[in-house]
């Protein structure tokens, strides 16, 4: 469902006619080598496409205009090999609609001490050519990422990788459609928000379909299709005895399969990239989608519970960003705390819907009472999540802006078997510590719903926020509450 190799970034080098044909030929040659090397680098998940050197306002405008409408172009990497007078870039940068990475590099890694002369200096002058370009973007107040380093350095490749993944997530949002089955959970504030402003800011739309629209599709699913999916469940997971064929709850498994097939058919037919539902609006459904939401997330769809469309969209974006990386991304909720002073922990879970992409072992497929929703017992996958570094991310509507909040965490192995907890779960330690991390999250207005990621970092999300033009707030290893509260105050002023 998600193939980043279908996407491309354009490598655009700036120069000018001042230097003559011989120098410009060298600029083009060096640019082709760098672009080809980036394209072949295993760290970079998208195609890197060389574009001819731009040497005039007209050429710059033309290539940016072309990038804006190119279906698979998700951004531009710009480099000034020589000096490219930045007034030439004004008209092009004014119309730019794709993310921009400014690569401050040079072709040679080392200065050739014994042979360096003025010809070499005239050719290899990005040290000040990029400063001219940087001034113009700062003067125009343009968001971009600046990567400094040699094009073969691992650190440079890593930062370009982060940016390309963020750009892929941003590109995926443009024109994306998310569906809400039912409305927001009643009286809940943080999961609601301004869908009109979100569409203007983020490029995706959110619209509601009545649960009856979905139920109609579910009821049209054939018994043969249910047979096939139930067999897949048996092959993929460890079914509890009551759910196996002939078991007393096997029909509930078939109901869950029918719901999954109907949901996926609805999403495919409507070209939706994610969805929300709510236990308060299930009329006509036998059970709340549990395993259906889990498995659709594993296929790349965004999801969040209780009508939380902002988190559903974020889950989708982070799944795109993390495509091909080890580990997964899932809808998540901070559920309950372990306040033991020797080992403070957060238990993350949800009623049913945690994505199996973050599971550390083969999940079990179980059925248990839910206690809310007033429907039959739902089928769900139960598992623990793998330990290791991770992040929790949340987008909240602050009224005058959207805020993307990220907390770096360390997931740990379960300290108990949790035999009576019938949901997928993960234990983590928030950075910098439990008290500061949780207090900072609350001070920033962070939601109780998040996207939990094992394979993305705060830098991916920071790049994403820059592309979105929204506020980014980080809670990490160095967070200090005094400084953190000041940062929130400064942001309030900046966004007013």
């Amino acid at each position: 469902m998600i193939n980043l190799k279908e996407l491309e970034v354009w490598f655009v080098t700036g120069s000018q006619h001042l230097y003559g044909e011989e120098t410009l030929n060298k600029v083009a040659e060096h640019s082709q080598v760098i672009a080809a090397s980036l394209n072949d680098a295993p760290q970079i998940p998208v195609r890197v496409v060389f574009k001819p050197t731009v040497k005039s306002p007209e050429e710059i405008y033309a290539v940016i205009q072309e990038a804006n409408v190119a279906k698979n172009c998700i951004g531009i990497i710009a480099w000034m090999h020589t000096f490219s007078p930045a007034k030439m870039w004004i008209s092009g940068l004014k119309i730019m609609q794709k993310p921009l990475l400014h690569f401050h590099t040079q072709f040679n890694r080392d200065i050739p001490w014994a042979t360096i002369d003025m010809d070499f200096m005239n050719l290899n002058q990005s040290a000040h050519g990029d400063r001219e370009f940087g001034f113009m973007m700062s003067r125009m107040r343009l968001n971009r990422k600046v990567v400094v380093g040699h094009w073969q350095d691992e650190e440079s490749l890593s930062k370009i990788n982060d940016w390309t993944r963020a750009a892929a997530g941003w590109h995926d949002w443009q024109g994306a459609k998310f569906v809400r089955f039912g409305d927001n959970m009643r009286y809940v504030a943080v999961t609601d928000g301004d869908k009109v402003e979100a569409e203007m800011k983020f490029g995706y739309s959110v619209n509601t379909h009545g649960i009856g629209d979905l139920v109609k599709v579910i009821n049209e699913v054939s018994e043969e299709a249910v047979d096939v999916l139930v067999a897949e469940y048996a092959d993929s997971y460890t079914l509890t005895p009551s759910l196996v064929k002939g078991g007393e709850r096997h029909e509930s498994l078939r109901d869950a399969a029918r719901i999954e097939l109907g949901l996926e058919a609805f999403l495919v037919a409507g070209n939706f990239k994610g969805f929300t539902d709510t236990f308060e609006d299930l009329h006509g459904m036998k059970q709340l989608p549990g395993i259906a939401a889990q498995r659709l997330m594993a296929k790349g769809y965004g999801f969040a519970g209780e009508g939380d469309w902002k988190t559903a969209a974020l889950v989708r974006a982070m799944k795109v960003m993390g495509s091909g990386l080890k580990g997964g991304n899932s809808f998540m909720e901070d559920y309950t705390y372990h306040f033991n002073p020797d080992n403070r922990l957060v238990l993350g879970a949800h009623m049913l819907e945690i994505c199996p992409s973050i599971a550390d072992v083969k999940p079990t497929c179980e059925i248990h009472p839910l206690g809310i929703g007033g429907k039959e017992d739902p089928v769900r996958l139960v598992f623990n999540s793998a330990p290791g570094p991770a992040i929790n991310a949340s987008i909240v509507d602050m009224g005058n802006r959207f805020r993307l909040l990220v907390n770096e965490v360390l997931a740990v192995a379960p300290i108990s078997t949790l035999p009576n907890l019938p949901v997928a779960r993960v234990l983590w330690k928030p950075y910098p510590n439990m008290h500061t991390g949780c207090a900072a999250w609350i001070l920033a207005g962070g939601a109780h719903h998040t996207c939990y990621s094992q394979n993305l970092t705060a830098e991916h999300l920071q790049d994403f926020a820059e592309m979105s033009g929204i506020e980014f707030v980080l809670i990490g290893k160095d967070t200090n509450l005094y400084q953190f509260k000041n940062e929130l105050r400064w942001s309030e002023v900046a966004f007013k």
Side-chain angles (χ1 to χ4, degrees):
M1 186 175 180
I2 301 171
N3 180 12
L4 298 187
K5 278 300 179 185
E6 294 177 348
L7 307 176
E8 56 193 41
V9 295
W10 291 3
F11 191 86
V12 177
T13 305
S15 187
Q16 59 179 321
H17 289 290
L18 175 69
Y19 303 109
E21 203 63 29
E22 183 178 348
T23 296
L24 289 176
N25 287 339
K26 270 295 178 190
V27 168
E29 177 188 327
H30 290 173
S31 299
Q32 286 176 295
V33 170
I34 295 175
S37 178
L38 296 179
N39 184 60
D40 293 339
Q43 300 93 326
I44 298 177
V46 302
R47 299 195 304 271
V48 179
V49 177
F50 165 79
K51 289 293 176 178
T53 308
V54 290
K55 308 169 291 298
S56 69
E58 294 76 17
E59 292 176 355
I60 293 168
Y61 187 93
V63 74
I64 292 177
Q65 186 180 50
E66 184 185 0
N68 283 343
V69 298
K71 180 180 178 181
N72 293 332
C73 176
I74 64 172
I76 288 177
I77 298 175
W79 171 48
M80 307 302 113
H81 191 319
T82 59
F83 197 81
S84 179
K87 285 173 69 176
M88 296 196 308
W89 286 84
I90 293 175
S91 61
L93 292 175
K94 282 173 66 176
I95 67 164
M96 187 159 185
Q97 299 172 5
K98 299 290 176 76
L100 176 66
L101 182 144
H102 183 189
F103 196 11
H104 187 40
T105 189
Q106 63 184 29
F107 186 71
N108 57 296
R109 191 194 70 174
D110 303 328
I111 294 175
W113 305 107
T115 60
I116 187 171
D117 56 18
M118 282 311 300
D119 287 339
F120 181 92
M121 296 278 276
N122 281 333
L123 175 62
N124 299 283
Q125 52 177 304
S126 56
H128 68 285
D130 276 325
R131 282 171 165 78
E132 167 76 356
F133 182 57
F135 162 76
M136 184 50 66
M137 286 186 290
S138 294
R139 175 69 175 80
M140 296 176 71
R141 310 304 195 264
L142 296 180
N143 292 338
R144 78 279 193 191
K145 180 168 188 171
V146 178
V147 174
V148 179
H150 192 253
W151 50 278
Q152 293 175 312
D153 287 351
E154 183 61 39
E155 183 178 0
S156 297
L157 294 173
S158 176
K159 289 183 177 297
I160 294 172
N161 166 47
D162 292 345
W163 176 82
T164 57
R165 289 184 175 277
W170 176 247
H171 176 79
D172 185 75
W173 264 8
Q174 307 315 300
K177 296 165 60 181
F178 294 89
V179 59
R180 301 169 78 200
F181 297 111
D183 199 1
N184 191 58
M185 181 179 172
R186 297 173 196 129
Y187 303 112
V188 177
V190 75
T191 55
D192 215 336
D194 189 335
K195 296 191 291 295
V196 175
E197 183 64 25
E199 187 164 351
M200 295 191 321
K201 193 71 177 175
F202 299 133
Y204 64 74
S205 64
V206 182
N207 288 291
T208 298
H209 276 264
I211 197 69
D213 295 342
L214 174 59
V215 169
K216 181 178 183 296
V217 179
I218 292 172
N219 290 340
E220 293 171 351
V221 172
S222 71
E223 293 299 319
E224 292 76 14
V226 172
D227 291 340
V228 172
L229 186 53
V230 167
E232 183 179 329
Y233 289 167
D235 289 340
S236 303
Y237 316 114
T238 303
L239 301 183
T240 54
S242 67
L243 291 177
V244 300
K245 191 171 184 178
E248 60 184 16
R249 305 304 301 274
H250 181 68
E251 196 58 36
S252 293
L253 186 68
R254 294 184 63 83
D255 291 338
R258 185 172 287 103
I259 289 171
E260 179 182 337
L261 291 166
L263 251 174
E264 186 167 15
F266 193 102
L267 296 174
V268 170
N271 195 30
F272 295 110
K273 292 183 175 178
F275 68 102
T276 71
D277 60 22
T278 173
F279 61 88
E280 290 178 326
D281 192 351
L282 296 173
H283 185 72
M285 296 182 67
K286 289 190 174 182
Q287 55 181 267
L288 179 65
I291 190 173
Q294 292 178 294
R295 282 171 49 86
L296 288 169
M297 265 193 288
K299 290 182 177 182
Y301 286 101
F303 171 81
E306 292 99 49
D308 186 357
W309 52 271
K310 296 189 298 298
T311 302
L314 183 62
V315 169
R316 166 64 186 191
M318 291 175 68
K319 282 187 171 293
V320 172
M321 288 186 241
S323 178
L325 296 177
K326 183 180 179 181
N329 293 270
S330 176
F331 171 57
M332 187 60 66
E333 181 172 271
D334 293 54
Y335 225 105
T336 194
Y337 291 144
H338 185 63
F339 268 132
N340 186 317
D342 297 324
N343 190 26
R344 297 184 178 96
L345 298 168
V346 176
L347 174 60
H350 202 251
M351 297 182 299
L352 303 168
E353 312 97 341
I354 301 299
C355 180
S357 66
I358 68 170
D360 64 343
V361 294
K362 183 178 180 179
T364 59
C365 184
E366 305 179 14
I367 183 168
H368 301 276
L370 185 59
I372 56 176
K375 293 294 179 178
E376 296 179 9
D377 301 342
V379 175
R380 81 290 303 272
L381 300 176
V382 178
F383 53 84
N384 292 314
S385 180
I391 58 172
N392 268 309
S394 171
I395 287 185
V396 292
D397 187 343
M398 297 300 293
N400 64 338
R401 66 192 185 279
F402 291 100
R403 170 179 286 166
L404 176 54
L405 180 61
V406 173
N407 188 189
E408 297 174 323
V409 304
L410 180 65
V412 299
I415 59 176
S416 174
T417 56
L418 303 171
N420 296 312
L421 184 63
V423 293
R425 60 269 178 156
V426 54
L427 285 168
W428 69 75
K429 295 175 179 288
Y431 284 116
N433 55 63
M434 186 82 154
H435 291 162
T436 301
C438 293
W441 188 272
I442 290 171
L443 286 166
H448 55 283
H449 288 167
T450 64
C451 180
Y452 174 84
S453 177
Q454 298 170 321
N455 54 25
L456 299 177
T457 67
E459 185 158 359
H460 291 101
L461 274 295
Q462 184 176 13
D463 289 347
F464 187 75
E466 289 281 352
M467 295 169 191
S468 307
I470 65 173
E471 180 186 9
F472 176 78
V473 177
L474 174 64
I475 304 169
K477 296 178 182 178
D478 300 321
T479 294
N480 171 280
L481 275 184
Y482 173 80
Q483 184 69 19
F484 186 80
K485 286 189 277 189
N486 277 335
E487 289 176 11
L488 295 179
R489 294 186 186 105
W490 298 332
S491 289
E492 201 65 45
V493 173
F495 280 90
K496 282 182 178 177

